[in-house]
Amino acid sequence: MKKHLLAMSLLSCMAAAHAADQNDAGQLPTVVVTATRTATPIDETLAPVTVITRADIERLQPQSVQDLLSGLPGVAFGNAGGLGQQTSLFMRGTNSSHTLVLVDGVRIGTVGAGIPAFEQLPVEQIDRIEIVRGPRSSLYGSDAIGGVIQIFTRHGQPGESLTPSVTLGVGSHRLADGQFGLSGGSRHAWFNASVGGQYTRGINACRAAAAGVGGCFTNEPDDDGYRTYNGALSGGYRWDNGTELSASLLKSKGDIEYDGDFQNYTRRSQQVAGVNLRFAVLEAWKMSLSAGQNLDRADNYLNRADLGADMLREGNLYSRRNQASWQNEVTLAPGQLLSAGVDYQQEHVDSDTGYVRTKRDNTGVFALYQGQFGPHELQLSARHDHNQQFGNHNTGAAAYGYGFDNGVKLTASYGTAFHAPTFNDLYFPPVFGFATANPDLKPEKSRTAEIGVSARPGAWNWAVNAYQTKIDDLIGYDAFFVPINVAKARIRGIEGQLGADLDGWHLRGYLTFQQPENRGDDAERGNLLARRPERIARIDLDRDLGAFSVGGTVNGQGYRYDDAANLQRLGGYATVDLRASWNFLPGWTLQGRVANVFDHRYETVRFYNQLGRTAYLTVRYSPAR
């Protein structure tokens, strides 16, 4: 790692924040479930975790999940042209398919490409997000090389009276959005139901080069609009003996315009449904049974009818993922917990292009031991996966923590992870007689070592983590763009975070230095992996002033390259957002936000435009529970 990178990292403990740490003195500690698959106080996870709450979402006023997560430790996005356009997330410098994303415990993402549609996840339906950085394949199986992101949708509370919520907003580029929800509960039951939508005229997604053709292989200097509709339903029942049954459903459906010569309009829907039963077999033995399904449908067209031409259907891609899990938690002794279970997953793809294979299933068996011995904490996990296509794969992890009396904690961990090749990598049919897939691909495998130090002295909190990840059999492409296992990668990084809630001030800051490097034995050895910056920084600062609050965000990222050869450089950038809110009546809030105040022009994917200065106005009604 470069000397200046190591020196600058010493500043990170003074410049980053943990969005999870929002508890004032006297409140219960934050509990997370994603890091260990069990309800665990955040101080005991031994993994770097960030939690975004509903209060954070309403304070920051984001228009998308990208808005909300961009600039968090280790998080960078590539976006193809603004709101609603294809969005890829790169966690800790790993590939966009190396981050596992869950919604209410259900894995999401297209079976074909292996990545979720972040752009279609409705922010107004989200109650909470947990971001766990680092390998988690020993608990979740494939994909969790860079980390795991779990999104929890909004829900009711037992004993809650019938409570409505309304959000209406307008903004630049003819943006209009809204959400209406109703939640409530009784002594044993609870529910939430909500519907919403968003529309924008958009911007010209793809610019043309001097030769008249850009990265989208066409020149369409028009605005590319986006409209989406979403709905969510959740509920549950808890018996007197503690047995609990819960279920949730989230569906979004959208129309996306973009620039392209083969297709430029997609109708897409994404649906996530799940059910979970949790009960105690014995006083020290808890069991849960869960099942879920993720559906993703995309119908692609060339030229919409209302654009003055005939709309031609140019293809479709449908995917279905069914999954089920059986998990047990056994308390061995005070401070010692053993978790073990079985996961089953079946993937199915259907397309007009005709894949060689359209189904595969995976069964995984896992176990996790968590032990606390005075100031010492220990976590050991192991998993065995059997996949119908690539056979058997074993992963494991070990983590140790030591807590000092002054609140400082030292941690060290080592973990392995893997990513199974996608259906597109393995089976996509030939195009014009040329191969576009490789059924002999092997899973990508990783090894990560990490050390960290953190503390929570009073209202302040800070943490610094340093890690190294090595990836073998990284999937690359040969001269004919056929995927092959040729490359290796080494990613070194340091993340820092610092936060505080004091006298009406809310400070969150994040700083990341990373070196995502190609280490293959070819001409690209030593190059940066495409579309991943080396530096990421963000600061959120807000001030409560009675019925008013004001705040701002500075989000900056260093340069990146758009290609593996590092010939197409995309410049670094920094944006400034300002926001304010006014609680003008009980339960009513008027909010305003100006994003990218200085109208900075930048790209995260070559040729694809990003939003300049934009303004938003929102009215919320949400009575206190």
Side-chain angles (χ1 to χ4, degrees), residues 278-357:
R278 182 176 175 83
F279 57 94
V281 181
L282 299 171
E283 184 177 354
W285 177 10
K286 295 180 180 178
M287 183 184 295
S288 64
L289 300 168
S290 62
Q293 184 183 74
N294 172 220
L295 301 177
D296 194 291
R297 300 172 60 93
D299 293 286
N300 304 314
Y301 301 87
L302 179 64
N303 297 324
R304 278 184 48 194
D306 59 0
L307 298 179
D310 293 332
M311 186 166 70
L312 303 176
R313 195 167 188 267
E314 292 295 334
N316 66 276
L317 178 62
Y318 304 153
S319 69
R320 180 178 71 248
R321 180 183 289 108
N322 298 319
Q323 50 201 290
S325 179
W326 171 48
Q327 182 169 324
N328 302 270
E329 301 168 23
V330 180
T331 301
L332 304 176
Q336 298 187 60
L337 181 68
L338 176 65
S339 305
V342 180
D343 296 328
Y344 174 78
Q345 175 179 275
Q346 182 189 69
E347 296 177 325
H348 180 266
V349 63
D350 184 17
S351 173
D352 64 307
T353 55
Y355 285 75
V356 175
R357 295 182 64 174

Side-chain angles (χ1 to χ4, degrees), residues 98-336:
H98 291 172
T99 299
L100 172 63
V101 181
L102 308 170
V103 173
D104 292 330
V106 180
R107 180 187 295 248
I108 68 168
T110 65
V111 170
I115 57 176
F118 284 101
E119 64 276 7
Q120 275 204 296
L121 293 172
V123 175
E124 288 301 325
Q125 300 286 15
I126 296 174
D127 182 71
R128 173 185 175 90
I129 303 178
E130 295 180 0
I131 304 111
V132 182
R133 300 182 295 282
R136 282 294 175 273
S137 282
S138 60
L139 293 178
Y140 292 99
S142 178
D143 305 343
I145 293 178
V148 179
I149 295 176
Q150 181 155 201
I151 296 171
F152 299 90
T153 57
R154 300 174 79 163
H155 54 84
Q157 300 287 347
E160 176 188 2
S161 60
L162 204 60
T163 305
S165 64
V166 179
T167 301
L168 297 173
V170 295
S172 302
H173 307 293
R174 297 184 184 174
L175 181 134
D177 60 18
Q179 181 267 340
F180 172 77
L182 191 64
S183 62
S186 63
R187 177 170 172 259
H188 292 285
W190 63 93
F191 83 95
N192 179 82
S194 56
V195 294
Q198 186 179 60
Y199 166 80
T200 178
R201 182 183 62 187
I203 60 175
N204 182 30
C206 183
R207 65 176 176 86
V213 178
C216 46
F217 304 104
T218 188
N219 182 16
E220 298 179 20
D222 61 339
D223 290 331
D224 295 296
Y226 169 68
R227 61 189 60 81
T228 182
Y229 312 95
N230 59 76
L233 182 65
S234 65
Y237 190 91
R238 183 181 299 121
W239 284 266
D240 290 331
N241 64 0
T243 298
E244 182 178 300
L245 177 65
S246 61
S248 64
L249 169 69
L250 173 65
K251 182 170 184 176
S252 64
K253 186 173 183 179
D255 296 339
I256 307 104
E257 301 170 15
Y258 47 95
D259 296 332
D261 55 349
F262 291 108
Q263 55 195 38
N264 56 14
Y265 176 65
T266 294
R267 286 177 173 165
R268 184 169 188 173
S269 64
Q270 186 172 228
Q271 178 176 299
V272 190
V275 60
N276 183 76
L277 175 64
R278 182 176 175 83
F279 57 94
V281 181
L282 299 171
E283 184 177 354
W285 177 10
K286 295 180 180 178
M287 183 184 295
S288 64
L289 300 168
S290 62
Q293 184 183 74
N294 172 220
L295 301 177
D296 194 291
R297 300 172 60 93
D299 293 286
N300 304 314
Y301 301 87
L302 179 64
N303 297 324
R304 278 184 48 194
D306 59 0
L307 298 179
D310 293 332
M311 186 166 70
L312 303 176
R313 195 167 188 267
E314 292 295 334
N316 66 276
L317 178 62
Y318 304 153
S319 69
R320 180 178 71 248
R321 180 183 289 108
N322 298 319
Q323 50 201 290
S325 179
W326 171 48
Q327 182 169 324
N328 302 270
E329 301 168 23
V330 180
T331 301
L332 304 176
Q336 298 187 60

